[in-house]
Amino acid sequence: MFIIATLSAVLLFNFSTSNRTKVGRIQVANIIISDIRRAQSMALAGTRYQGNITCGYGVDYVDKNNYSIYAKAVPGSGSCSTVATRNYQPGIDYIVEAKKISNANFEIAGTFGDIFFEPPDPKTYISNQSLPNPASALITIQLVGQTSCSGGSCSTVQVSNSGEVDLK
C-alpha cells in the first residue's frame, strides 16, 4: 500500500504541475492578446495620446520578457500619409505602456515584428508590411529555457494581416 500511495502522490503532483504550467502559459498568451487588441481598439477609436494626434498604435517586441504598446507620432509634415515606417522609432514615437511578461516562468520564444494598426479601418501592418505579405505574425510563449515546442508545450498568438488576433 505504501508503494501504491507513493506512486499515486507522484503522479498527482506531476499532473497538477503540468496543468498549472499550461494554464499559466495560456494566461500569459491571453494578456498579450489583450494588449494587441487594446492597441487595435485605440487605433480604431482614433484616440489621441497625451493630447497629441497619432498615426496609429502598435506593439513592439523589446526582448523575450518585454514588449511595449506605442503610439506613432505624426511626422513633421503633419500628415500621416508621409509616414515612412510604421515600426516603433525610439525618440520619435510615444511609449503608451511598457509591458513585462507577468509570469516569470514564461518567455517569448524568438522575436516578432512590430504589429501596427493605422486608423480609420484600422489597417494592419506586420513588420511595416501590409496586405498580402506577411500573412500573419506569430508570438510563441514557452517555459523559460525551453528549446522546442514539442507535445503542445507552447502557446502561440497569431495576428493576421486582416487584424484578427487568436490563440493557436
Side-chain angles (χ1 to χ4, degrees), residues 4-50:
I4 291 172
T6 303
L7 288 173
S8 296
V10 168
L11 286 173
L12 284 174
F13 176 76
N14 284 338
F15 177 74
S16 66
T17 300
S18 68
N19 192 24
R20 277 183 281 155
T21 300
K22 180 179 180 182
V23 169
R25 190 178 65 242
I26 290 172
Q27 286 173 339
V28 168
N30 282 328
I31 289 169
I32 292 172
I33 289 171
S34 175
D35 289 334
I36 293 168
R37 287 185 177 150
R38 180 174 166 215
Q40 187 178 39
S41 238
M42 288 187 296
L44 184 61
T47 305
R48 290 177 177 240
Y49 181 70
Q50 296 181 344

Side-chain angles (χ1 to χ4, degrees), residues 77-117:
S77 67
S79 172
C80 291
S81 63
T82 62
V83 171
T85 180
R86 272 89 178 161
N87 291 338
Y88 173 69
Q89 294 178 289
I92 297 173
D93 297 328
Y94 311 105
I95 295 289
V96 174
E97 190 173 354
K99 303 294 286 188
K100 182 170 181 65
I101 300 292
S102 58
N103 186 328
N105 296 317
F106 298 99
E107 64 187 9
I108 298 170
T111 64
F112 64 89
D114 286 5
I115 301 162
F116 182 78
F117 302 101

